Amino acid sequence: MPFIQDLLHKLEVGGGMRYLRWVLAVLAIVLLVGGYNLRAFRNMSAPEAMDAAQLARNIAQGRGYTTLFVRPFSMFLVKKHNLEKQGAPPVGKLADLAEIRGMHPDLANPPVYPVVLAALMKVLPFKYEVDTTHAFWSTFSSGKRVFYRYEPDFLISLFNQLLFLAVIVLVFFLARRLFDPGVAWLSAGLLLATELLWRFSVSGLSTILLMTIFVGLIWCVVLLEQEARVPKWGPAGILMLAGLAGAVVGLGGLTRYAFGWLIIPVVGFLILFGGQRRILLTVIAIMAFAAVMTPWIVRNYSVSGRPFGTATYAVLEKSILYAENRLERTLEPDFSASSHYFLPAFWLKLKTNLHQIVTSEFPKLGGSWVTAFFLVGLLVGFRNPAVARLRYFLLGCGLVLTLAQALGRTQLSEESPELNTENLLVLLVPLVFVYGVSLFYLLLEQMPLPLPQLRFLVIGIFTLVACLPMVFVFLLPMTHPIAYPPYYPPRIQTMAGWLEEDELVMSDVPWAVAWYGQRQCVWLTLRCMPDTRVASRREDFLAISSHQKPINALYLTPETMDARFLSQFEESDWGRFMVRSVVEEALPEEFPLRKSPTGWPSDQLVLTDRQRW
């Protein structure tokens, strides 16, 4: 009894309640992470996630910044640049101008996230073969163990969940610094229970890492504003903070290129609130940003002649000039023929996507109605100058990211409207929640309650309603972890195992073949065979297979073979090819891949140059 009395005394008087609160918080986090992964984890389904993962593995294995996922458009840029630099090869000599006979240089991904994943792959024991022997990675079906979860996908999601927890900790201390402990705890709790962010964490995308960098930028801005208003660290302190802010924006730009546009609100903030040294601070921030970004831009230019590789042309994708993903699948684009349409296409894409963002995406930012409190809170005057000035910076970031998201929107956003790397507004969620919660507490203080204890009831109801999407994760049936259709790793690894490491595949899911199958794979070209009706039509498949590198296998999945695609066969000769090969069971005479395995699923098509099974 004396022991229990002493324990209760320490909890009530000796500050033990604070430690108990932290213990309970850690326990809740562990239970939430474990429960969410058991109920809602899915293997990768985002092409960008698989692309970054296979690129990271190449880096970890010492192959440099090269990719197994080959875009025809990337081949065009590399070939064009090599021709300009080296000139045409001698007659009769077949030069590897597109650089696909070996490892192809990656021109689509900025380097930070793949390099971070490569470091993770060096530290952890990644097992890339499908595991059907252990319980967590496999399940029983028809009396035997079959594939269920892919271990590398799960490890990458755990890493992103750790980053997500780091974001919550940073936001907690930021909210406590700007407001009070009540706002800090509730903001952190709402972030922890935001189902959309958990889906991002298990998707394998770079969004959570980028959100961590963005919160780090917010910390730089807050400290810089305070130092400009009330100097504490001497003359060098604010200069270091300005340089750090510029470098952090550069780091974010090397994680996702569109993030680099945030140098604009950073410069605007320094000019408005930088004090007497605002010009010097602005110059330092821009120089630090340029110092971080320039080496990578030089690398891209030396490889492709374009500062951001294929991403340089993102503004043209999903426009009236290049619908869906046609640009990246084009082997020989002719920009000169459509150059006078660039400005109208640019303007139409901006207007169309801005309308969609403003009407449907921004109001449900973060998948929570806490955003409504943030929007109303924009009209509230704050006494704390740091809070008011940070709000202006947040609005500037929102405007810049909205424009960048509208112009950079591609087919990825159509196929997965929320979970994609082009969703930039989701980066604002942590700060939006902090300001939304601060307004809730402001309204709560003005609410007449008959009993002070009812205050906790109101907070509880507010929290429960905001967390309903996460609650339903545990109430609804369990999510199946296999992202099929179209991705089934065992089948991809079986197909890839029929080929040697240096052989080439063509597929409609090249990112999956590169990640799960570890084979070089070129994206399905726009054209398959010559068309006698159109003399100028190129046969892109043969242009690669006959003149650059032999294509040893063709792998098509429901991504291409569903009814929606077949209904569009007039625009693609691959549609006619599939009708002939699947329905009529007759391949074109000039098509070099003619062997097909028996017993393969009917919703997929595999053709090889010879019998390999």
Side-chain angles (χ1 to χ4, degrees):
M1 290 295 293
F3 170 76
I4 297 178
Q5 291 177 352
D6 291 342
L7 181 61
L8 292 175
H9 177 74
K10 290 181 179 179
L11 289 176
E12 295 176 356
V13 181
M17 288 300 295
R18 182 179 63 180
Y19 297 107
L20 178 62
R21 188 184 300 118
W22 280 104
V23 169
L24 292 176
V26 171
L27 180 61
I29 290 172
V30 171
L31 292 175
L32 181 60
V33 171
Y36 186 87
N37 285 326
L38 284 174
R39 294 194 60 83
F41 169 78
R42 294 196 82 203
N43 300 315
M44 288 184 186
S45 61
E48 315 102 287
M50 287 178 263
D51 189 16
Q54 63 87 21
L55 177 56
R57 182 177 54 206
N58 291 340
I59 298 172
Q61 294 176 348
R63 298 181 179 181
Y65 205 81
T66 57
T67 181
L68 293 172
F69 168 22
V70 181
R71 296 165 173 82
F73 184 53
S74 175
M75 294 171 57
F76 164 76
L77 292 180
V78 173
K79 179 181 178 181
K80 183 174 183 293
H81 182 66
N82 285 335
L83 279 173
E84 294 172 351
K85 185 170 57 175
Q86 304 172 11
V91 178
K93 183 178 180 181
L94 193 61
D96 187 19
L97 295 174
E99 298 184 26
I100 63 167
R101 293 178 201 163
M103 295 296 292
H104 186 72
D106 185 83
L107 299 179
N109 299 281
V112 170
Y113 186 58
V115 169
V116 170
L117 289 185
L120 181 69
M121 292 173 181
K122 283 286 191 180
V123 173
L124 297 181
F126 272 64
K127 300 176 182 178
Y128 298 106
E129 294 296 324
V130 167
D131 188 348
T132 56
T133 59
H134 296 87
F136 187 74
W137 313 116
S138 60
T139 187
F140 274 105
S141 177
S142 302
K144 63 178 181 179
R145 285 201 171 275
V146 296
F147 170 77
Y148 198 59
R149 296 183 181 93
Y150 189 59
E151 183 177 343
D153 289 358
F154 187 78
L155 293 178
I156 291 174
S157 72
L158 279 183
F159 170 71
N160 278 289
Q161 287 169 1
L162 290 176
L163 287 178
F164 180 40
L165 296 180
V167 169
I168 294 173
V169 172
L170 290 173
V171 171
F172 172 82
F173 286 107
L174 179 65
R176 193 172 69 171
R177 182 187 187 94
L178 296 175
F179 296 97
D180 55 58
V183 173
W185 278 104
L186 186 54
S187 299
L190 293 180
L191 272 180
L192 183 64
T194 302
E195 192 264 343
L196 176 63
L197 298 185
W198 279 97
R199 278 192 284 141
F200 267 108
S201 73
V202 300
S203 68
L205 297 171
S206 61
T207 298
I208 301 299
L209 175 61
L210 194 64
M211 185 177 291
T212 308
I213 295 173
F214 180 71
V215 175
L217 175 63
I218 295 297
W219 265 102
C220 291
V221 169
V222 169
L223 295 176
L224 196 150
E225 187 277 336
Q226 176 183 323
E227 188 66 18
R229 186 165 37 88
V230 185
K232 293 182 180 179
W233 298 345
I238 193 170
L239 300 180
M240 292 179 59
L241 286 172
L244 183 60
V248 169
V249 176
L251 185 67
L254 292 182
T255 306
R256 197 171 302 170
Y257 290 130
F259 190 92
W261 288 109
L262 290 188
I263 193 63
I264 296 175
V266 168
V267 168
F269 188 87
L270 291 175
I271 293 175
L272 292 175
F273 308 116
Q276 297 179 349
R277 299 183 177 182
R278 61 190 61 177
I279 301 300
L280 179 60
L281 296 178
T282 301
V283 172
I284 290 176
I286 293 176
M287 290 179 62
F289 170 74
V292 174
M293 292 288 294
T294 300
W296 185 249
I297 293 176
V298 171
R299 177 264 178 189
N300 284 336
Y301 196 86
S302 66
V303 174
S304 66
R306 300 297 181 270
F308 302 104
T310 58
T312 308
Y313 297 86
V315 69
L316 297 179
E317 294 187 57
K318 203 67 178 67
S319 68
I320 57 175
L321 298 178
Y322 295 96
E324 298 182 341
N325 46 35
R326 298 178 68 86
L327 179 58
E328 288 192 290
R329 293 171 55 201
T330 301
L331 190 61
E332 294 286 346
D334 184 8
F335 294 120
S336 60
S338 57
S339 58
H340 55 288
Y341 293 112
F342 282 178
L343 189 58
F346 173 91
W347 180 241
L348 180 60
K349 180 178 181 179
L350 178 63
K351 290 190 298 181
T352 303
N353 292 337
L354 274 180
H355 176 264
Q356 183 172 350
I357 292 172
V358 172
T359 57
S360 61
E361 296 183 21
F362 197 84
K364 59 178 183 180
L365 181 64
S368 173
W369 55 272
V370 178
T371 305
F373 278 79
F374 165 74
L375 295 175
V376 176
L378 296 177
L379 305 176
V380 176
F382 291 100
R383 296 179 181 179
N384 186 340
V387 175
R389 292 175 178 180
L390 180 61
R391 179 175 59 180
Y392 297 142
F393 178 74
L394 186 60
L395 289 174
C397 290
L399 177 62
V400 170
L401 292 178
T402 298
L403 293 175
Q405 182 171 323
L407 290 174
R409 193 182 188 95
T410 68
Q411 184 64 19
L412 295 172
S413 297
E414 297 296 324
E415 296 177 355
S416 179
E418 286 185 322
L419 294 181
N420 59 77
T421 56
E422 296 164 4
N423 187 347
L424 300 174
L425 292 177
V426 74
L427 303 177
L428 305 176
V429 168
L431 269 294
V432 167
F433 276 24
V434 170
Y435 277 90
V437 169
S438 69
L439 176 64
F440 166 74
Y441 270 98
L442 183 63
L443 297 176
L444 183 61
E445 292 175 358
Q446 301 175 6
M447 184 181 297
L449 297 174
L451 295 175
Q453 292 78 6
L454 291 178
R455 173 187 176 93
F456 299 102
L457 178 62
V458 175
I459 295 175
I461 294 174
F462 174 83
T463 304
L464 177 63
V465 175
C467 298
L468 279 179
M470 179 61 80
V471 172
F472 281 113
V473 169
F474 294 90
L475 295 180
L476 294 175
M478 207 165 155
T479 302
H480 201 285
I482 300 178
Y484 188 85
Y487 310 113
Y488 190 64
R491 199 168 292 149
I492 295 174
Q493 290 192 355
T494 298
M495 182 276 303
W498 296 336
L499 288 87
E500 301 296 331
E501 289 189 4
D502 60 343
E503 291 185 317
L504 180 63
V505 188
M506 177 174 283
S507 175
D508 54 356
V509 288
W511 44 84
V513 175
W515 171 231
Y516 296 120
Q518 300 189 56
R519 292 296 183 268
Q520 188 181 54
C521 187
V522 63
W523 203 346
L524 195 70
T525 53
L526 290 180
R527 304 301 172 200
C528 169
M529 304 301 297
D531 191 340
T532 56
R533 298 172 302 175
V534 184
S536 61
R537 173 171 288 181
R538 293 184 55 85
E539 57 278 14
D540 293 341
F541 178 92
L542 295 179
I544 296 175
S545 186
S546 301
H547 303 296
Q548 301 194 47
K549 183 177 182 178
I551 298 175
N552 303 100
L554 174 69
Y555 176 57
L556 301 180
T557 70
E559 185 79 4
T560 296
M561 298 185 67
D562 61 8
R564 181 186 62 85
F565 188 89
L566 290 177
S567 66
Q568 301 170 353
F569 72 90
E570 285 297 335
E571 299 180 4
S572 170
D573 52 359
W574 282 109
R576 288 187 293 275
F577 174 86
M578 286 185 293
V579 169
R580 291 182 62 183
S581 60
V582 176
V583 180
E584 302 175 7
E585 298 184 352
L587 291 171
E589 294 181 1
E590 60 271 36
F591 194 73
L593 309 178
R594 312 192 67 81
K595 299 295 183 179
S596 179
T598 58
W600 201 258
S602 59
D603 61 350
Q604 298 188 4
L605 176 66
V606 176
L607 295 173
T608 60
D609 54 353
R610 57 184 172 83
Q611 186 166 331
R612 294 169 171 265
W613 39 89

